Amino acid sequence: MNIQDPVSDMITRIRNAQKANKEFVSVSFSNLKASISYVLKEEGYIKNFSINRKKKNRSYIIIQLKYFNGNGVIENIKRVSKPGLRIYKKKDQIPLIMEGLGIVIISTSQGVMTDRKARKNGLGGEIICYVS
């Protein structure tokens, strides 16, 4: 199966797995997806993630989802920049999600990071997704 937007597929898998109260979700590996998973873990939206090698030399990222009082910690996750329409913002144009309670994941020249870290470092970049 050919996936046109792998990051959007990852986000959709996370969203669907949380709605179904699954403990784990697996997505195919890429460096960008691993970086997004790292940011989600550092910000406390997921418990953990690991990279596993499987059959035919394909790697997968296994994401352990996090719940609080029976509800998923990730209430909303939305893809912003898409392959057909990339969204770039300067450091002072990066939006606030839920007045700072949510995060924006941004791909900058210094790697994938949150909106707070990008503002602190004076960086803009491609807006990957919003998480709240």
Side-chain angles (χ1 to χ4, degrees):
M1 185 166 103
N2 190 8
I3 299 172
Q4 298 297 321
D5 186 5
V7 175
S8 182
D9 179 62
M10 173 189 178
I11 290 169
T12 300
R13 285 176 185 242
I14 291 172
R15 187 183 314 115
N16 290 343
Q18 281 225 304
K19 286 182 180 178
N21 292 322
K22 300 288 184 182
E23 186 177 354
F24 294 97
V25 64
S26 82
V27 295
S28 60
F29 174 81
S30 76
N31 288 329
L32 178 59
K33 291 180 196 176
S35 297
I36 292 169
S37 300
Y38 178 77
V39 170
L40 289 173
K41 181 182 179 226
E42 289 296 309
E43 291 296 314
Y45 286 102
I46 61 174
K47 279 187 183 176
N48 205 352
F49 74 98
S50 62
I51 299 168
N52 292 347
R53 281 226 178 264
K54 294 240 178 169
K55 299 175 184 176
K56 299 181 184 176
N57 292 330
R58 291 189 182 181
S59 295
Y60 291 90
I61 301 172
I62 309 298
I63 299 171
Q64 185 177 8
L65 301 173
K66 191 174 185 179
Y67 295 91
F68 181 74
N69 291 337
N71 297 322
V73 173
I74 299 175
E75 290 179 13
N76 189 18
I77 184 166
K78 180 182 178 194
R79 177 82 156 124
V80 178
S81 188
K82 299 175 183 173
L85 180 63
R86 301 286 185 189
I87 307 294
Y88 296 94
K89 298 288 183 183
K90 295 180 182 177
K91 65 177 181 178
D92 55 344
Q93 296 175 330
I94 298 171
L96 280 175
I97 303 302
M98 293 178 58
E99 298 181 14
L101 296 176
I103 63 169
V104 178
I105 299 179
I106 303 172
S107 177
T108 68
S109 59
Q110 295 182 5
V112 176
M113 61 184 69
T114 65
D115 55 334
R116 282 181 291 248
K117 190 172 178 184
R119 281 190 204 93
K120 180 181 173 187
N121 294 337
L123 297 169
E126 181 184 353
I127 307 293
I128 297 175
C129 64
Y130 299 148
V131 183
S132 60

